[in-house]
Amino acid sequence: MAKEKHTFPGPFCPGCQYHQVVGCTRYCNGFPKKRKPKRFRKSDPKYKPPRWCPRLISPPVCRVYGFVNSEASIMDWLLNREASAARSGNEQDAYRSVSAHRYKLRLEFPLGMTAKQFYDVMLSDVSTCVTSEIRNQVEYGEVIEIDDGLKPYYFYFDTFRAIPLSYFDRSRVQPSGPAPAEKGGGQG
């Protein structure tokens, strides 16, 4: 069986909601309110975002999503154990069932590498400084997000390796703090 290659295509300006074309001139309208759209220079890349892109986060941010409670952790372990067994022993290509509502944001820090660099490092070398730092902070079954501000990539952490996820709905993640108390009704 051929080894599956994972690609991490970068975002393109023509696909961005803030990209505008007026005649032959391109503009970026992604800046904060009351600021004029910025005109692309001829020296700027035609398709990739330029360095001055307002949505670009440099260095990329790494977010780790942990389980909401121990029941969610056990449910994830049971679901993914069955998925691994169903793939006839080829655990590398096994599908991971990840439900975003079982997770909450646990950790956030600047990573300093792109999603492709992160994946390559996690595959190749176990003992580098970056991977050992991440492996010490992340537990089995947690989701790692690498976000450069333009397109986030998600990975499922499974016993010293990261498996790319095709889908993870960040909007369904539980709030990381305690649930806010209802307003009103209090005595005193």
Side-chain angles (χ1 to χ4, degrees):
M1 179 180 250
K3 187 175 180 180
E4 182 180 338
K5 275 192 144 182
H6 295 282
T7 59
F8 301 96
F12 296 103
C13 278
C16 178
Q17 63 181 351
Y18 300 112
H19 184 259
Q20 297 175 338
V21 177
V22 179
C24 294
T25 309
R26 300 183 315 142
Y27 294 94
C28 179
N29 196 19
F31 294 96
K33 295 179 181 178
K34 299 183 181 179
R35 183 170 171 190
K36 282 182 14 180
K38 184 169 182 172
R39 182 178 181 177
F40 282 82
R41 297 185 198 141
K42 289 189 178 196
S43 61
D44 288 332
K46 298 248 184 238
Y47 297 105
K48 294 191 176 193
R51 291 179 192 238
W52 52 262
C53 178
R55 295 178 56 212
L56 193 63
I57 298 173
S58 182
V61 176
C62 179
R63 294 183 187 96
V64 177
Y65 296 97
F67 293 109
V68 174
N69 52 28
S70 61
E71 289 85 13
S73 173
I74 293 169
M75 179 64 82
D76 178 76
W77 180 78
L78 287 171
L79 284 172
N80 290 318
R81 181 178 60 107
E82 295 296 324
S84 295
R87 294 294 294 217
S88 67
N90 191 359
E91 195 175 329
Q92 181 70 24
D93 296 331
Y95 170 74
R96 300 296 181 208
S97 173
V98 178
S99 298
H101 68 275
R102 292 191 189 123
Y103 291 90
K104 67 178 180 178
L105 181 64
R106 189 175 65 81
L107 183 65
E108 181 174 345
F109 58 93
L111 185 61
M113 63 175 70
T114 64
K116 181 172 177 35
Q117 292 168 341
F118 170 77
Y119 183 67
D120 290 341
V121 166
M122 290 296 280
L123 278 182
S124 64
D125 194 6
V126 177
S127 63
T128 63
C129 177
V130 174
T131 56
S132 62
E133 178 184 333
I134 292 171
R135 287 186 172 118
N136 291 337
Q137 296 181 14
V138 181
E139 298 175 14
Y140 174 82
E142 293 185 331
V143 174
I144 302 169
E145 174 189 11
I146 310 293
D147 186 13
D148 61 359
L150 302 170
K151 182 170 179 12
Y153 291 97
Y154 300 97
F155 300 92
Y156 181 89
F157 190 74
D158 180 20
T159 320
F160 298 110
R161 64 185 173 154
I163 300 169
L165 291 174
S166 57
Y167 182 74
F168 185 78
D169 189 5
R170 185 172 47 177
S171 65
R172 296 199 58 204
V173 170
Q174 301 291 325
S176 58
E182 291 183 25
K183 295 189 178 189
Q187 295 181 1

